[in-house]
C-alpha cells in the first residue's frame, strides 16, 4: 500500500535544488506517487523531464490562473510578485492542448480573484474554460486552484460537465465544500490540516470516499518556517487516523481507493 501527494511543486527551485533527498525522504515515509503540478509552459516542461527521471513522479500540466492573465495585468500596472518573464496565455493553453496525452491530470488550473483584479476576471475565465475543455476532450482529471472564486469555478465546472475533479487546498465555505463533494468531486487535504479549523472539520464530516492527500509543497508546511515536501502527506494521514479513530493503514487504504477512482490507476 502506498501514500501519494496529488499536488506538489517539485520543480520549485527550493525543492529542485535537493531533488534526490526530497524524493528519498518521500520514499522512506511510504510515498509511492507524487503528482507534480505545472504552472506554465516552462514549468510543464520541467515537470515532464522530472517525471521521466523519477518513477515516483507523475506529471500534471497546467496554467496557473494568475499566469492566465498576467501579461494584461502587468500592462495595466497591477502589482504581482513574480520572478521572470510572464508567459503568453494563448501559448500556455496551446502547450497543454499539445501535450495533454502525456499527463495524468490537467492542473493546476482554475480561477484566482485574490491576485487578479476584476477587469481581468472575464479573460481568466475564458482561459479556464479552454483548459477544462482540453481535459474533458482527453478524458483527464482536473486539479483545481481557486482563491476567492470557489463558487464561480464550481458553476463553470458543473456547466461544462466536468466530473473528474480534485479541488486543491480548498479555501471556500464549508457549505460549498459539502455541495462540491455531494456533486462527486474530490478535495485534497494539505499537510497543515491540523492547524486549520476548516480542514479539521472537513476531515471529521466529509464523506471519506471523496478525500485525497496533498502538500502543495514547498508551500503550506506543517511546521512554520520549514520547507514543505511530499513526505509530509504522512502527517495528514496520521491526523486523519486520529480523527477517524482508526490506524494509518485504514486511512491509506481509503484514500488509495479514492485516488484510483479519480485518476484511473493505483498510486
Ligand atoms: Zn499549487
Amino acid at each position: 500500500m502506498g501514500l501519494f501527494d496529488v499536488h506538489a511543486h517539485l520543480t520549485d527551485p527550493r525543492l529542485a535544488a535537493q531533488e534526490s533527498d526530497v524524493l528519498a525522504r518521500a520514499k522512506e515515509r511510504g510515498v509511492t506517487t507524487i503528482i507534480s503540478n505545472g504552472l506554465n509552459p516552462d514549468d510543464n516542461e520541467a515537470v515532464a523531464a522530472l517525471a521521466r527521471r523519477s518513477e515516483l513522479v507523475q506529471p500534471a500540466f497546467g496554467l496557473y490562473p494568475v499566469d492566465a492573465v498576467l501579461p494584461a495585468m502587468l500592462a495595466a500596472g497591477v502589482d504581482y510578485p513574480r520572478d521572470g518573464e510572464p508567459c503568453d496565455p494563448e501559448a500556455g493553453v496551446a502547450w497543454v492542448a499539445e501535450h495533454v496525452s502525456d499527463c495524468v491530470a490537467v492542473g493546476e488550473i482554475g480561477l484566482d480573484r485574490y491576485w487578479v483584479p476584476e477587469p481581468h476576471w472575464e479573460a481568466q475565465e475564458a482561459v479556464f474554460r479552454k483548459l477544462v475543455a482540453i481535459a474533458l476532450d482527453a478524458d483527464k482529471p482536473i486539479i483545481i486552484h481557486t482563491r476567492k472564486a470557489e463558487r464561480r469555478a464550481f458553476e463553470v465546472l458543473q456547466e461544462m460537465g466536468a466530473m473528474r475533479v480534485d479541488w486543491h487546498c480548498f479555501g471556500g465555505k464549508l457549505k460549498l465544500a459539502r455541495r462540491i463533494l455531494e456533486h462527486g468531486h474530490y478535495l485534497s487535504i494539505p499537510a497543515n490540516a491540523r492547524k486549520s479549523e476548516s480542514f479539521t472539520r472537513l476531515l471529521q464530516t466529509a464523506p471519506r470516499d471523496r478525500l485525497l492527500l496533498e502538500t502543495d509543497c514547498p508551500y503550506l508546511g506543517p511546521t512554520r518556517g520549514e520547507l514543505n515536501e511530499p513526505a509530509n502527506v504522512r502527517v495528514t494521514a496520521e491526523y486523519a487516523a486520529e480523527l477517524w479513530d482508526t490506524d494509518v493503514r485504514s486511512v491509506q487504504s481509503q484514500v488509495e481507493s479514492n485516488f484510483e477512482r479519480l485518476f484511473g490507476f493505483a498510486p
Side-chain angles (χ1 to χ4, degrees):
M1 208 169 1
L3 280 170
F4 56 82
D5 181 351
V6 296
H7 194 93
H9 295 286
L10 294 175
T11 53
D12 183 283
R14 290 166 286 174
L15 292 175
Q18 37 167 323
E19 181 184 307
S20 53
D21 291 341
V22 166
L23 293 174
R25 282 194 292 269
K27 212 166 176 176
E28 226 168 78
R29 303 210 75 193
V31 177
T32 50
T33 299
I34 303 164
I35 301 183
S36 203
N37 285 230
L39 303 171
N40 52 57
D42 285 351
D43 193 34
N44 290 332
E45 297 274 8
V47 165
L50 171 61
R52 283 192 293 269
R53 279 199 299 279
S54 166
E55 37 156 37
L56 234 52
V57 181
Q58 298 288 344
F61 299 148
L63 183 61
Y64 194 64
V66 179
D67 289 49
V69 286
L70 195 52
M73 266 169 65
L74 296 177
V78 181
D79 208 19
Y80 178 65
R82 188 189 189 277
D83 301 329
E85 275 298 299
C87 72
D88 167 36
E90 259 177 59
V93 172
W95 196 100
V96 176
E98 196 185 327
H99 297 88
V100 68
S101 59
D102 300 332
C103 66
V104 299
V106 172
E108 59 186 296
I109 65 170
L111 299 176
D112 189 309
R113 293 178 175 178
Y114 176 82
W115 288 109
V116 176
E118 190 164 358
H120 305 280
W121 289 356
E122 210 181 298
Q124 181 179 231
E125 186 175 310
V127 170
F128 177 48
R129 283 174 180 273
K130 282 182 198 164
L131 292 161
V132 171
I134 292 167
L136 290 175
D137 263 1
D139 194 23
K140 297 286 180 181
I142 299 169
I143 298 171
I144 292 289
H145 162 105
T146 170
R147 206 166 168 196
K148 304 273 178 220
E150 288 81 5
R151 193 173 298 277
R152 184 64 194 148
F154 188 39
E155 283 168 4
V156 170
L157 290 165
Q158 280 179 297
E159 191 194 299
M160 295 185 72
M163 286 307 298
R164 297 177 71 193
V165 178
D166 170 52
W167 293 69
H168 127 71
C169 198
F170 184 82
K173 297 225 163 64
L174 267 174
K175 223 169 124 184
L176 181 60
R178 293 209 179 90
R179 278 182 48 212
I180 286 171
L181 295 168
E182 274 165 27
H183 184 68
H185 290 177
Y186 294 78
L187 292 187
S188 43
I189 307 290
N192 63 357
R194 191 182 287 275
K195 287 188 291 192
S196 151
E197 205 185 309
S198 82
F199 283 119
T200 299
R201 289 286 293 147
L202 275 169
L203 278 169
Q204 285 169 326
T205 60
R208 293 176 189 177
D209 62 352
R210 290 286 171 245
L211 299 179
L212 298 165
L213 306 175
E214 70 157 88
T215 59
D216 199 22
C217 62
Y219 311 100
L220 303 179
T223 313
R224 215 199 167 92
E226 254 176 48
L227 215 54
N228 196 10
E229 58 180 64
N232 288 328
V233 288
R234 180 162 285 278
V235 175
T236 312
E238 284 163 0
Y239 186 42
E242 209 178 296
L243 294 173
W244 297 355
D245 198 19
T246 181
D247 52 23
V248 176
R249 274 189 78 79
S250 344
V251 172
Q252 251 179 279
S253 131
Q254 172 70 69
V255 292
E256 191 181 272
S257 49
N258 302 346
F259 181 103
E260 199 169 344
R261 212 181 307 118
L262 176 62
F263 290 98
F265 67 97

